[in-house]
Amino acid sequence: MNGAPVALVTGASRGIGAGIAEALARTGYGVAVNYLCDHRAAAAVVERIRAGGGVARAFQADVTSTSAAQALHEDVRRELGEVHALVLNATGPQPDVPLDDLDRKDLQDQLDHFVLGPLALVQAVVPAMRERRAGRIVFIGSEVVDLAPAHTAAYTAAKSAQAAMARVWARELAPHGITVNTVSPGFIPGDRHRDTPQAAIEDYTAQVPAGRLGTASDIGAAVAFLCSEAAAFIAGERLRVTGGHTIG
Ligand code: NAP
């Protein structure tokens, strides 16, 4: 690593995470591309970044496990250097379940991805950030926090808890030069929306004031801004990147 600041992006092998990794690399971050099982997809993101002159490396780890998250942080430190920016993006399947069918496991899974996994990673990166008196932590939230769609109780509850946690930690860490913020995307169809009916996508798009769906690079641009020097005085915000879908 040649002195570039390091960003660790969880769940960066595809979708929004890949867009974030590429955007951060374009602004000069060396990027740790975390993934769960799709090594080829992660390697392709790394290749794209390197082809553009950037620095990147893939790191397999299940970030819902505290010990794996801690080991991931150690691997990244060893291979790329101290983490300057942490982006908490990884997601597993999100249950579409009405109240009567919701069970504790649905909730636990979502809390593991969006609350408990992030806790381990934030605790791992913060000591060095505190010492440096600089750091960036960005959570990837969701517009469901504003919209509360039916059948999403587990996902919406976990994303809401995550948003609350981000604001609390923003207050705790701002005195140390570390900013904590959330970027909340609207609907951005990716691999896991393969079965979403075209009519549902069109209905959604018709409700977006900007008249189009968002892209992973829209989210990447917002995260790159929050991870830049220009955003040093922004703390505890939830930036909605929805083309106006969440205006109200
Ligand atoms: P995605 O395309 O399904 O990608 C998920 C990523 O997370 C993949 O890189 C996957 O790795 C990784 N992953 C899954 N479980 C993991 C684990 N336990 N440990 C480490 N990595 C893991 O997701 P996405 O749709 O881009 O969503 C990204 C974020 O944006 C999520 O936080 C989501 O809630 C939020 N969001 C998405 C939308 C949307 O419409 N897409 C809207 C609002 C908010 P593998 O490839 O190896 O499986």
Side-chain angles (χ1 to χ4, degrees), residues 217-243:
S217 37
D218 290 322
I219 308 305
V223 172
F225 168 63
L226 288 172
C227 290
S228 73
E229 203 35 54
F233 202 56
I234 301 177
E237 294 299 334
R238 189 160 66 86
L239 178 57
R240 298 166 175 87
V241 184
T242 66

Side-chain angles (χ1 to χ4, degrees), residues 171-192:
R171 191 185 293 281
E172 292 181 24
L173 296 175
H176 302 277
I178 304 166
T179 69
V180 185
N181 291 287
T182 297
V183 169
S184 280
F187 179 39
I188 298 178
D191 293 352
R192 74 190 157 80

Side-chain angles (χ1 to χ4, degrees), residues 9-23 87 89 140-141 183-190 192-193 214-220 223:
V9 184
T10 69
S13 53
R14 57 194 153 94
I16 290 172
I20 294 168
E22 291 176 49
V87 184
N89 167 79
I140 304 306
V183 169
S184 280
F187 179 39
I188 298 178
R192 74 190 157 80
H193 302 101
T215 65
S217 37
D218 290 322
I219 308 305
V223 172

Side-chain angles (χ1 to χ4, degrees), residues 13-14 16 36-38 62-63 89 91 155 159 186 188 192:
S13 53
R14 57 194 153 94
I16 290 172
L36 179 62
C37 47
D38 195 342
D62 177 353
V63 295
N89 167 79
T91 183
Y155 179 61
K159 285 291 188 189
I188 298 178
R192 74 190 157 80

